């Protein structure tokens, strides 16, 4: 458990880092499309939303596999500036870059983003959460995890025009490999730590609006070896959202270490759309 690494006080905020990460991973082979892949004719578009300390390349292995099955896949940029702003950005991306039904997929902090973004778009037909936060109205990432001392896990950088007290957060490079990517090669984990994008502290403090999971079907992949977002909390949030739950032996970065399992969860949601 992460509390053993950084101490009890830092554990909750550490779990915050459950916000998905970047990945420059080589694509792996995937199965060919099945003629029975989608019973309703045209397949839905899959929109993938990364979490914090990440960019859209974190989905590279998943994207390659989904494309091989005949899906149109878009990996949306997540600005990581604030929950409501990030959700609005993703909602605009979906509205302007897709037509027809959409499956919206979020990793870690990206789960909070899609929960808010999907509420405004009737074309979003299903939600998929990958080691993700699934907040209810009024909850923030920090409130879900109980708060803590950010200085134990993060380096901070003041950014131009920041509101009073706000900063960009970077996960300490010495901590990143062990707690985010313990099941990835050490060299890969070190590269991810070096190339992380920051998220603002205020984004982790901002309360969620009314979530789309209250009205949309959802699927959830639990990483049982996640050292950042505790698997018990993942299960609690998934059950509250009435998600179809799958568990896989994976770190927080399951889309990199177990991409096949992620693809199976996403395609299960896609096939449900008639």
């Amino acid at each position: 458990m992460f509390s053993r690494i950084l101490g009890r006080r830092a554990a909750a905020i550490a779990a915050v880092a459950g916000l998905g990460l970047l990945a420059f991973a080589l694509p792996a082979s995937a199965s060919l499309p099945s003629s029975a892949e989608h019973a309703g004719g045209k397949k839905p578009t899959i929109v993938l939303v990364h979490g914090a300390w990440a960019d859209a390349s974190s989905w590279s292995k998943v994207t390659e596999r989904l494309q091989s099955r005949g899906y149109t896949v878009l990996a949306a940029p997540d600005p990581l500036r604030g929950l409501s702003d990030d959700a609005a950005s993703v909602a605009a991306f979906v509205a302007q870059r897709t037509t027809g039904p959409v499956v919206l997929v979020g990793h870690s902090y990206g789960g909070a983003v899609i929960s808010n973004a999907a509420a405004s778009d009737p074309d979003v037909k299903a939600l998929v959460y990958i080691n993700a936060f699934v907040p209810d109205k009024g909850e923030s990432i920090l409130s879900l995890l109980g708060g803590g001392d950010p200085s134990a896990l993060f380096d901070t950088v003041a950014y131009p025009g920041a509101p009073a007290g706000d900063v960009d957060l970077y996960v300490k490079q010495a901590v990143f490999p062990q707690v985010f990517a313990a099941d990835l090669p050490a060299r890969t984990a070190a590269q991810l730590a070096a190339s992380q994008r920051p998220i603002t502290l205020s984004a982790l403090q901002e309360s969620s609006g009314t979530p789309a999971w209250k009205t949309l079907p959802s699927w959830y992949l639990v990483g049982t070896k996640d050292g950042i977002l505790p698997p018990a909390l993942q299960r609690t949030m998934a059950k509250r959202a009435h998600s179809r739950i799958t568990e896989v032996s994976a770190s927080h970065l399951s889309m990199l270490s177990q991409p096949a399992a992620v693809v199976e969860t996403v395609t299960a949601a896609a096939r449900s759309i008639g």
Side-chain angles (χ1 to χ4, degrees):
M1 194 67 179
F2 190 44
S3 57
R4 297 174 186 168
I5 303 169
L6 294 181
R8 190 171 299 172
R9 190 167 178 226
I13 186 70
V16 164
L19 320 170
L21 296 252
L22 12 85
F24 296 100
L26 294 174
S29 60
S31 58
L32 294 174
S34 166
S35 59
E37 186 71 55
H38 185 254
K42 182 181 177 181
K43 293 181 172 71
T45 298
I46 311 297
V47 177
L48 307 171
V49 180
H50 65 82
W53 305 292
D55 61 26
S57 68
S58 62
W59 294 109
S60 59
K61 290 185 176 183
V62 170
T63 297
E64 188 272 340
R65 285 167 167 79
L66 289 170
Q67 288 174 336
S68 77
R69 296 188 179 198
Y71 288 98
T72 298
V73 182
L74 297 172
D78 186 350
L80 308 177
R81 299 293 85 191
L83 181 55
S84 57
D85 287 345
D86 295 342
S89 178
V90 169
F93 180 95
V94 172
Q96 297 176 51
R97 293 210 61 199
T98 69
T99 56
V102 170
V103 175
L104 203 48
V105 184
H107 175 249
S108 202
Y109 170 75
V113 173
I114 69 169
S115 295
N116 285 267
S120 63
D121 194 331
D123 285 338
V124 178
K125 303 300 185 183
L127 302 172
V128 180
Y129 297 98
I130 308 298
N131 296 63
F133 289 92
V134 189
D136 203 345
K137 184 176 181 178
E139 294 178 339
S140 69
I141 303 302
L142 289 182
S143 71
L144 283 167
L145 295 161
D149 179 11
S151 66
L153 180 66
F154 300 118
D155 292 324
T156 62
V157 174
Y159 65 91
D166 200 18
V167 290
D168 272 336
L169 300 177
Y170 291 84
V171 179
K172 293 179 182 293
Q173 289 202 37
V175 172
F176 186 105
Q178 185 173 6
V179 300
F180 275 91
D183 59 351
L184 292 174
R187 181 174 296 181
T188 300
Q191 291 171 347
L192 297 177
S195 57
Q196 59 184 290
R197 288 179 54 218
I199 189 170
T200 62
L201 174 61
S202 59
L204 307 185
Q205 297 170 327
E206 185 176 347
S207 297
S208 175
T210 301
W213 54 259
K214 288 185 177 289
T215 56
L216 290 175
S218 63
W219 282 253
Y220 197 110
L221 183 74
V222 175
T224 61
K225 294 184 178 180
D226 196 324
I228 292 298
L229 179 49
L233 178 57
Q234 293 183 50
R235 295 183 188 101
T236 296
M237 293 185 292
K239 290 175 182 178
R240 181 176 65 178
H242 303 291
S243 301
R244 287 77 161 173
I245 300 172
T246 300
E247 298 198 1
V248 63
S249 178
S251 71
H252 187 64
L253 302 182
S254 57
M255 69 281 202
L256 300 180
S257 64
Q258 297 286 346
V262 173
V263 168
E264 289 305 316
T265 301
V266 173
T267 54
R271 287 193 294 264
S272 74
I273 300 173

